[in-house]
Amino acid sequence: MPRITEILKCVSDMTKQSSNLPEAYIKRAMEQVEWRTPKAIQYRQTEIKRKKFRFTTNRPWTQQFEKQNQPGLRRKKVFVEPILEWTFFKGDRVEILEGKDKGKQGLVNYIIQERNWVMVEGLNCHYRTIGKKKNYPGMMVKSEAPLLVTTQVGLIDPSDNKPTQAEWRYTEEGDKVRVSVRSGRLIPLPKLAEETQDYKTKSTYIEQEKDTPAEELTRITFEPQLKTFAMDIADKMGIKEDRIPRKTYWY
Amino acid sequence: MAHLIIGRGNTITSMATPSYVALINSRPLSTSAAALGKRNFRKFLTYGKRGTRYLKKDMRTNPDPELEKVFDRGVRPVGVVTEKKFKSIPEMIPEIIVPDLNGFKKPYVSYKVPDVIQGSFGPQDLFYAVYSDKIAEDVKNNKLNEDGSPAEPSEEELLTADEAKKKALSIGSDMY
């Protein structure tokens, strides 16, 4: 039986972090089971399900992704260069090196780490018509196309505003930072790097009615007592037991 | 397995050698009971198909306790079978104690909260929490005997291991 973590291994860290969804939910939403044997004593527990997913601009828990990865579909393998340390974050200033918008700089809008893709705000766009009918010509929409992080895009070095390769290095204090390979200048992380579905930055998050605030969470209410967990609950619920069970022996 | 013999002409019975040989077509035919109970129902679930009616009746009336344990699918017994009757023991029925959640309105945690890192609280920490103060006081006021035991032991210090175990087991929880 395939291991539970094999499905989740494919989903990248950035996708999981920016979604704020529990990993178990992502795995459950992504699962495409074609056939599973019934739960009975005479059956060997097996299931036929998709192991190799085609990652797209749609997130793995969406319906569009589910449609693109249906059980019967056979898709060609997409070769993705493995990158050990990811250097691109949301809000990074980046220059496009190939394509129609070559030489233009922009901010990173959307990241699809599973395909080494990055979408730059307003650049590398194309037009498409939506909702075309017989009488209606359709609505024209401008949409961005993803860019490969390895070849088509480069992080901008703050010292000379030109594209470079970035590397992760340690400072003297021991912090891990991004550094431009050409000039050695530090590339700071953008503020929007910690943006998720629920907040732009953690400090600007507005606490809702059902959220426990910091003071209540960090308050310690534990008082050590010479009681087991069951005894403590029994005292609190008012359950009184005087009977002592018979002595048992281990041989 | 019997053989159905369809003979053309006379069968060979006489001692004398025949003038012709009878053509015997033999075809196998199953005359025993339904393939000894072997059935393969993979597409749908059904009741047990193995065993004769007599065997199934016997298993129903005189169940073998060891065999029952193999096929009980992990269901814990709620009582005991004595003299062919089932006696339900209330202590064996699990009682789920749930705290009162009235007025509890905050199931989530806000994103602003810093990470809370707490050390583990082990048995030694519990010992320090319960006994350390009393021990320190006794040492200061010289209330210890020659062998180190307290001269005026508190309730917790008088507790022996046996008594403590009895107290813990009397609640009746098999987990804690």
Side-chain angles (χ1 to χ4, degrees), chain A residues 75-100:
Chain A
R75 305 199 69 165
K76 271 191 187 169
K77 186 179 161 92
V78 166
F79 292 90
V80 177
E81 190 187 323
I83 295 172
L84 285 168
E85 289 186 316
W86 187 262
T87 44
F88 289 81
F89 293 88
K90 210 166 176 177
D92 257 336
R93 255 211 307 156
V94 123
E95 185 173 312
I96 299 176
L97 307 169
E98 287 173 13
K100 196 172 50 157

PDB file of all heavy atoms in Angstrom, chain A residues 75-100:
ATOM      1  N   ARG A  75      -1.373  11.794 -18.646  1.00  0.00           N
ATOM      2  CA  ARG A  75      -0.721  13.000 -19.135  1.00  0.00           C
ATOM      3  C   ARG A  75       0.769  12.757 -19.274  1.00  0.00           C
ATOM      4  O   ARG A  75       1.359  11.981 -18.525  1.00  0.00           O
ATOM      5  CB  ARG A  75      -0.980  14.153 -18.155  1.00  0.00           C
ATOM      6  CG  ARG A  75      -2.461  14.340 -17.915  1.00  0.00           C
ATOM      7  CD  ARG A  75      -2.775  15.673 -17.365  1.00  0.00           C
ATOM      8  NE  ARG A  75      -2.545  16.728 -18.341  1.00  0.00           N
ATOM      9  CZ  ARG A  75      -3.010  17.950 -18.187  1.00  0.00           C
ATOM     10  NH1 ARG A  75      -3.702  18.263 -17.131  1.00  0.00           N
ATOM     11  NH2 ARG A  75      -2.753  18.879 -19.086  1.00  0.00           N
ATOM     12  N   LYS A  76       1.357  13.455 -20.202  1.00  0.00           N
ATOM     13  CA  LYS A  76       2.799  13.312 -20.427  1.00  0.00           C
ATOM     14  C   LYS A  76       3.550  13.808 -19.213  1.00  0.00           C
ATOM     15  O   LYS A  76       3.118  14.739 -18.533  1.00  0.00           O
ATOM     16  CB  LYS A  76       3.213  14.149 -21.633  1.00  0.00           C
ATOM     17  CG  LYS A  76       3.115  13.423 -22.937  1.00  0.00           C
ATOM     18  CD  LYS A  76       3.802  14.239 -24.016  1.00  0.00           C
ATOM     19  CE  LYS A  76       3.552  13.609 -25.370  1.00  0.00           C
ATOM     20  NZ  LYS A  76       3.968  14.489 -26.455  1.00  0.00           N
ATOM     21  N   LYS A  77       4.713  13.216 -19.000  1.00  0.00           N
ATOM     22  CA  LYS A  77       5.494  13.609 -17.819  1.00  0.00           C
ATOM     23  C   LYS A  77       6.100  14.985 -18.055  1.00  0.00           C
ATOM     24  O   LYS A  77       6.666  15.270 -19.109  1.00  0.00           O
ATOM     25  CB  LYS A  77       6.593  12.577 -17.575  1.00  0.00           C
ATOM     26  CG  LYS A  77       7.346  12.852 -16.285  1.00  0.00           C
ATOM     27  CD  LYS A  77       8.419  11.825 -16.031  1.00  0.00           C
ATOM     28  CE  LYS A  77       9.414  12.356 -15.041  1.00  0.00           C
ATOM     29  NZ  LYS A  77       9.102  12.007 -13.660  1.00  0.00           N
ATOM     30  N   VAL A  78       6.003  15.816 -17.036  1.00  0.00           N
ATOM     31  CA  VAL A  78       6.607  17.151 -17.097  1.00  0.00           C
ATOM     32  C   VAL A  78       7.902  17.098 -16.313  1.00  0.00           C
ATOM     33  O   VAL A  78       7.910  16.731 -15.139  1.00  0.00           O
ATOM     34  CB  VAL A  78       5.650  18.197 -16.489  1.00  0.00           C
ATOM     35  CG1 VAL A  78       6.374  19.500 -16.240  1.00  0.00           C
ATOM     36  CG2 VAL A  78       4.470  18.424 -17.387  1.00  0.00           C
ATOM     37  N   PHE A  79       8.999  17.464 -16.959  1.00  0.00           N
ATOM     38  CA  PHE A  79      10.301  17.390 -16.293  1.00  0.00           C
ATOM     39  C   PHE A  79      10.584  18.713 -15.606  1.00  0.00           C
ATOM     40  O   PHE A  79      10.600  19.757 -16.244  1.00  0.00           O
ATOM     41  CB  PHE A  79      11.384  17.040 -17.309  1.00  0.00           C
ATOM     42  CG  PHE A  79      11.246  15.649 -17.841  1.00  0.00           C
ATOM     43  CD1 PHE A  79      10.501  15.382 -18.974  1.00  0.00           C
ATOM     44  CD2 PHE A  79      11.831  14.573 -17.165  1.00  0.00           C
ATOM     45  CE1 PHE A  79      10.356  14.084 -19.452  1.00  0.00           C
ATOM     46  CE2 PHE A  79      11.686  13.283 -17.640  1.00  0.00           C
ATOM     47  CZ  PHE A  79      10.955  13.036 -18.780  1.00  0.00           C
ATOM     48  N   VAL A  80      10.807  18.628 -14.306  1.00  0.00           N
ATOM     49  CA  VAL A  80      11.036  19.829 -13.489  1.00  0.00           C
ATOM     50  C   VAL A  80      12.429  19.720 -12.886  1.00  0.00           C
ATOM     51  O   VAL A  80      12.776  18.713 -12.286  1.00  0.00           O
ATOM     52  CB  VAL A  80       9.980  19.926 -12.368  1.00  0.00           C
ATOM     53  CG1 VAL A  80      10.240  21.107 -11.485  1.00  0.00           C
ATOM     54  CG2 VAL A  80       8.601  20.012 -12.964  1.00  0.00           C
ATOM     55  N   GLU A  81      13.219  20.772 -13.085  1.00  0.00           N
ATOM     56  CA  GLU A  81      14.583  20.745 -12.538  1.00  0.00           C
ATOM     57  C   GLU A  81      14.514  20.848 -11.020  1.00  0.00           C
ATOM     58  O   GLU A  81      13.899  21.780 -10.495  1.00  0.00           O
ATOM     59  CB  GLU A  81      15.368  21.929 -13.098  1.00  0.00           C
ATOM     60  CG  GLU A  81      16.852  21.859 -12.794  1.00  0.00           C
ATOM     61  CD  GLU A  81      17.592  23.127 -13.208  1.00  0.00           C
ATOM     62  OE1 GLU A  81      17.214  23.681 -14.248  1.00  0.00           O
ATOM     63  OE2 GLU A  81      18.509  23.538 -12.485  1.00  0.00           O
ATOM     64  N   PRO A  82      15.133  19.945 -10.301  1.00  0.00           N
ATOM     65  CA  PRO A  82      15.041  20.037  -8.838  1.00  0.00           C
ATOM     66  C   PRO A  82      15.918  21.159  -8.301  1.00  0.00           C
ATOM     67  O   PRO A  82      17.105  21.237  -8.614  1.00  0.00           O
ATOM     68  CB  PRO A  82      15.550  18.671  -8.370  1.00  0.00           C
ATOM     69  CG  PRO A  82      16.373  18.147  -9.480  1.00  0.00           C
ATOM     70  CD  PRO A  82      15.905  18.776 -10.734  1.00  0.00           C
ATOM     71  N   ILE A  83      15.301  22.031  -7.533  1.00  0.00           N
ATOM     72  CA  ILE A  83      16.037  23.150  -6.916  1.00  0.00           C
ATOM     73  C   ILE A  83      16.137  22.871  -5.431  1.00  0.00           C
ATOM     74  O   ILE A  83      15.127  22.691  -4.763  1.00  0.00           O
ATOM     75  CB  ILE A  83      15.302  24.493  -7.159  1.00  0.00           C
ATOM     76  CG1 ILE A  83      15.286  24.805  -8.653  1.00  0.00           C
ATOM     77  CG2 ILE A  83      15.988  25.616  -6.408  1.00  0.00           C
ATOM     78  CD1 ILE A  83      14.434  25.984  -9.007  1.00  0.00           C
ATOM     79  N   LEU A  84      17.372  22.819  -4.938  1.00  0.00           N
ATOM     80  CA  LEU A  84      17.566  22.466  -3.530  1.00  0.00           C
ATOM     81  C   LEU A  84      17.043  23.548  -2.609  1.00  0.00           C
ATOM     82  O   LEU A  84      16.319  23.280  -1.678  1.00  0.00           O
ATOM     83  CB  LEU A  84      19.057  22.214  -3.243  1.00  0.00           C
ATOM     84  CG  LEU A  84      19.579  20.890  -3.781  1.00  0.00           C
ATOM     85  CD1 LEU A  84      21.075  20.865  -3.723  1.00  0.00           C
ATOM     86  CD2 LEU A  84      19.004  19.719  -3.005  1.00  0.00           C
ATOM     87  N   GLU A  85      17.415  24.815  -2.871  1.00  0.00           N
ATOM     88  CA  GLU A  85      16.995  25.914  -1.997  1.00  0.00           C
ATOM     89  C   GLU A  85      16.293  26.957  -2.841  1.00  0.00           C
ATOM     90  O   GLU A  85      16.895  27.589  -3.699  1.00  0.00           O
ATOM     91  CB  GLU A  85      18.220  26.502  -1.283  1.00  0.00           C
ATOM     92  CG  GLU A  85      18.757  25.545  -0.242  1.00  0.00           C
ATOM     93  CD  GLU A  85      19.877  26.156   0.576  1.00  0.00           C
ATOM     94  OE1 GLU A  85      20.761  26.808   0.008  1.00  0.00           O
ATOM     95  OE2 GLU A  85      19.860  25.979   1.801  1.00  0.00           O
ATOM     96  N   TRP A  86      15.032  27.129  -2.547  1.00  0.00           N
ATOM     97  CA  TRP A  86      14.187  28.056  -3.288  1.00  0.00           C
ATOM     98  C   TRP A  86      14.500  29.488  -2.884  1.00  0.00           C
ATOM     99  O   TRP A  86      14.570  29.801  -1.699  1.00  0.00           O
ATOM    100  CB  TRP A  86      12.718  27.723  -2.983  1.00  0.00           C
ATOM    101  CG  TRP A  86      11.756  28.481  -3.785  1.00  0.00           C
ATOM    102  CD1 TRP A  86      11.104  29.599  -3.399  1.00  0.00           C
ATOM    103  CD2 TRP A  86      11.314  28.193  -5.106  1.00  0.00           C
ATOM    104  NE1 TRP A  86      10.280  30.023  -4.398  1.00  0.00           N
ATOM    105  CE2 TRP A  86      10.381  29.174  -5.455  1.00  0.00           C
ATOM    106  CE3 TRP A  86      11.617  27.189  -6.032  1.00  0.00           C
ATOM    107  CZ2 TRP A  86       9.743  29.200  -6.688  1.00  0.00           C
ATOM    108  CZ3 TRP A  86      10.973  27.208  -7.242  1.00  0.00           C
ATOM    109  CH2 TRP A  86      10.055  28.209  -7.576  1.00  0.00           C
ATOM    110  N   THR A  87      14.681  30.363  -3.888  1.00  0.00           N
ATOM    111  CA  THR A  87      15.108  31.724  -3.568  1.00  0.00           C
ATOM    112  C   THR A  87      14.075  32.797  -3.901  1.00  0.00           C
ATOM    113  O   THR A  87      14.321  33.962  -3.662  1.00  0.00           O
ATOM    114  CB  THR A  87      16.394  32.054  -4.342  1.00  0.00           C
ATOM    115  OG1 THR A  87      16.227  31.588  -5.679  1.00  0.00           O
ATOM    116  CG2 THR A  87      17.594  31.386  -3.735  1.00  0.00           C
ATOM    117  N   PHE A  88      12.928  32.444  -4.437  1.00  0.00           N
ATOM    118  CA  PHE A  88      11.948  33.448  -4.851  1.00  0.00           C
ATOM    119  C   PHE A  88      10.779  33.535  -3.898  1.00  0.00           C
ATOM    120  O   PHE A  88      10.242  32.518  -3.486  1.00  0.00           O
ATOM    121  CB  PHE A  88      11.435  33.120  -6.261  1.00  0.00           C
ATOM    122  CG  PHE A  88      12.470  33.352  -7.308  1.00  0.00           C
ATOM    123  CD1 PHE A  88      13.447  32.413  -7.543  1.00  0.00           C
ATOM    124  CD2 PHE A  88      12.487  34.522  -8.047  1.00  0.00           C
ATOM    125  CE1 PHE A  88      14.418  32.615  -8.499  1.00  0.00           C
ATOM    126  CE2 PHE A  88      13.453  34.739  -9.008  1.00  0.00           C
ATOM    127  CZ  PHE A  88      14.419  33.791  -9.233  1.00  0.00           C
ATOM    128  N   PHE A  89      10.393  34.761  -3.559  1.00  0.00           N
ATOM    129  CA  PHE A  89       9.286  34.975  -2.635  1.00  0.00           C
ATOM    130  C   PHE A  89       8.314  35.972  -3.215  1.00  0.00           C
ATOM    131  O   PHE A  89       8.648  36.742  -4.114  1.00  0.00           O
ATOM    132  CB  PHE A  89       9.798  35.489  -1.287  1.00  0.00           C
ATOM    133  CG  PHE A  89      10.605  34.461  -0.558  1.00  0.00           C
ATOM    134  CD1 PHE A  89      11.961  34.336  -0.770  1.00  0.00           C
ATOM    135  CD2 PHE A  89      10.002  33.591   0.333  1.00  0.00           C
ATOM    136  CE1 PHE A  89      12.705  33.375  -0.122  1.00  0.00           C
ATOM    137  CE2 PHE A  89      10.728  32.636   0.993  1.00  0.00           C
ATOM    138  CZ  PHE A  89      12.088  32.520   0.769  1.00  0.00           C
ATOM    139  N   LYS A  90       7.126  35.984  -2.639  1.00  0.00           N
ATOM    140  CA  LYS A  90       6.082  36.892  -3.116  1.00  0.00           C
ATOM    141  C   LYS A  90       6.500  38.318  -2.798  1.00  0.00           C
ATOM    142  O   LYS A  90       6.922  38.619  -1.704  1.00  0.00           O
ATOM    143  CB  LYS A  90       4.789  36.553  -2.374  1.00  0.00           C
ATOM    144  CG  LYS A  90       3.562  36.812  -3.148  1.00  0.00           C
ATOM    145  CD  LYS A  90       2.408  36.117  -2.465  1.00  0.00           C
ATOM    146  CE  LYS A  90       1.128  36.432  -3.155  1.00  0.00           C
ATOM    147  NZ  LYS A  90       0.011  35.734  -2.567  1.00  0.00           N
ATOM    148  N   GLY A  91       6.363  39.202  -3.802  1.00  0.00           N
ATOM    149  CA  GLY A  91       6.734  40.587  -3.578  1.00  0.00           C
ATOM    150  C   GLY A  91       8.171  40.897  -3.951  1.00  0.00           C
ATOM    151  O   GLY A  91       8.610  42.029  -3.830  1.00  0.00           O
ATOM    152  N   ASP A  92       8.909  39.898  -4.437  1.00  0.00           N
ATOM    153  CA  ASP A  92      10.304  40.107  -4.860  1.00  0.00           C
ATOM    154  C   ASP A  92      10.351  40.904  -6.148  1.00  0.00           C
ATOM    155  O   ASP A  92       9.554  40.673  -7.042  1.00  0.00           O
ATOM    156  CB  ASP A  92      10.934  38.744  -5.172  1.00  0.00           C
ATOM    157  CG  ASP A  92      11.834  38.275  -4.068  1.00  0.00           C
ATOM    158  OD1 ASP A  92      12.331  39.135  -3.316  1.00  0.00           O
ATOM    159  OD2 ASP A  92      12.042  37.059  -3.960  1.00  0.00           O
ATOM    160  N   ARG A  93      11.383  41.763  -6.261  1.00  0.00           N
ATOM    161  CA  ARG A  93      11.557  42.463  -7.539  1.00  0.00           C
ATOM    162  C   ARG A  93      12.395  41.582  -8.440  1.00  0.00           C
ATOM    163  O   ARG A  93      13.456  41.065  -8.040  1.00  0.00           O
ATOM    164  CB  ARG A  93      12.224  43.815  -7.327  1.00  0.00           C
ATOM    165  CG  ARG A  93      11.223  44.932  -7.460  1.00  0.00           C
ATOM    166  CD  ARG A  93      11.752  46.202  -7.977  1.00  0.00           C
ATOM    167  NE  ARG A  93      12.899  46.688  -7.248  1.00  0.00           N
ATOM    168  CZ  ARG A  93      13.791  47.520  -7.807  1.00  0.00           C
ATOM    169  NH1 ARG A  93      13.638  47.907  -9.035  1.00  0.00           N
ATOM    170  NH2 ARG A  93      14.832  47.932  -7.113  1.00  0.00           N
ATOM    171  N   VAL A  94      11.885  41.421  -9.676  1.00  0.00           N
ATOM    172  CA  VAL A  94      12.454  40.400 -10.547  1.00  0.00           C
ATOM    173  C   VAL A  94      12.505  40.952 -11.976  1.00  0.00           C
ATOM    174  O   VAL A  94      11.666  41.769 -12.365  1.00  0.00           O
ATOM    175  CB  VAL A  94      11.522  39.157 -10.409  1.00  0.00           C
ATOM    176  CG1 VAL A  94      10.961  38.697 -11.693  1.00  0.00           C
ATOM    177  CG2 VAL A  94      12.210  38.067  -9.627  1.00  0.00           C
ATOM    178  N   GLU A  95      13.520  40.515 -12.762  1.00  0.00           N
ATOM    179  CA  GLU A  95      13.578  40.954 -14.158  1.00  0.00           C
ATOM    180  C   GLU A  95      13.383  39.756 -15.073  1.00  0.00           C
ATOM    181  O   GLU A  95      13.940  38.679 -14.815  1.00  0.00           O
ATOM    182  CB  GLU A  95      14.927  41.605 -14.475  1.00  0.00           C
ATOM    183  CG  GLU A  95      14.966  42.174 -15.897  1.00  0.00           C
ATOM    184  CD  GLU A  95      16.227  42.972 -16.185  1.00  0.00           C
ATOM    185  OE1 GLU A  95      16.564  43.819 -15.346  1.00  0.00           O
ATOM    186  OE2 GLU A  95      16.856  42.722 -17.221  1.00  0.00           O
ATOM    187  N   ILE A  96      12.621  39.968 -16.156  1.00  0.00           N
ATOM    188  CA  ILE A  96      12.346  38.875 -17.083  1.00  0.00           C
ATOM    189  C   ILE A  96      13.468  38.805 -18.107  1.00  0.00           C
ATOM    190  O   ILE A  96      13.849  39.812 -18.718  1.00  0.00           O
ATOM    191  CB  ILE A  96      10.990  39.087 -17.777  1.00  0.00           C
ATOM    192  CG1 ILE A  96       9.892  39.102 -16.704  1.00  0.00           C
ATOM    193  CG2 ILE A  96      10.722  37.993 -18.797  1.00  0.00           C
ATOM    194  CD1 ILE A  96       8.520  39.387 -17.220  1.00  0.00           C
ATOM    195  N   LEU A  97      14.048  37.610 -18.300  1.00  0.00           N
ATOM    196  CA  LEU A  97      15.215  37.461 -19.163  1.00  0.00           C
ATOM    197  C   LEU A  97      14.898  36.929 -20.551  1.00  0.00           C
ATOM    198  O   LEU A  97      15.702  37.055 -21.461  1.00  0.00           O
ATOM    199  CB  LEU A  97      16.210  36.502 -18.496  1.00  0.00           C
ATOM    200  CG  LEU A  97      16.613  36.839 -17.058  1.00  0.00           C
ATOM    201  CD1 LEU A  97      17.370  35.687 -16.452  1.00  0.00           C
ATOM    202  CD2 LEU A  97      17.435  38.102 -16.996  1.00  0.00           C
ATOM    203  N   GLU A  98      13.756  36.285 -20.710  1.00  0.00           N
ATOM    204  CA  GLU A  98      13.391  35.709 -22.005  1.00  0.00           C
ATOM    205  C   GLU A  98      11.949  36.003 -22.321  1.00  0.00           C
ATOM    206  O   GLU A  98      11.145  36.187 -21.411  1.00  0.00           O
ATOM    207  CB  GLU A  98      13.570  34.187 -21.979  1.00  0.00           C
ATOM    208  CG  GLU A  98      15.007  33.725 -21.997  1.00  0.00           C
ATOM    209  CD  GLU A  98      15.124  32.223 -21.807  1.00  0.00           C
ATOM    210  OE1 GLU A  98      14.106  31.514 -21.904  1.00  0.00           O
ATOM    211  OE2 GLU A  98      16.237  31.759 -21.553  1.00  0.00           O
ATOM    212  N   GLY A  99      11.623  36.051 -23.569  1.00  0.00           N
ATOM    213  CA  GLY A  99      10.218  36.189 -23.961  1.00  0.00           C
ATOM    214  C   GLY A  99       9.868  37.560 -24.461  1.00  0.00           C
ATOM    215  O   GLY A  99      10.727  38.405 -24.745  1.00  0.00           O
ATOM    216  N   LYS A 100       8.563  37.803 -24.565  1.00  0.00           N
ATOM    217  CA  LYS A 100       8.042  39.058 -25.111  1.00  0.00           C
ATOM    218  C   LYS A 100       8.450  40.257 -24.269  1.00  0.00           C
ATOM    219  O   LYS A 100       8.788  41.314 -24.777  1.00  0.00           O
ATOM    220  CB  LYS A 100       6.519  38.931 -25.164  1.00  0.00           C
ATOM    221  CG  LYS A 100       5.846  39.940 -26.034  1.00  0.00           C
ATOM    222  CD  LYS A 100       4.374  39.637 -26.208  1.00  0.00           C
ATOM    223  CE  LYS A 100       3.689  39.390 -24.895  1.00  0.00           C
ATOM    224  NZ  LYS A 100       2.256  39.619 -24.917  1.00  0.00           N
TER     225      LYS A 100
END
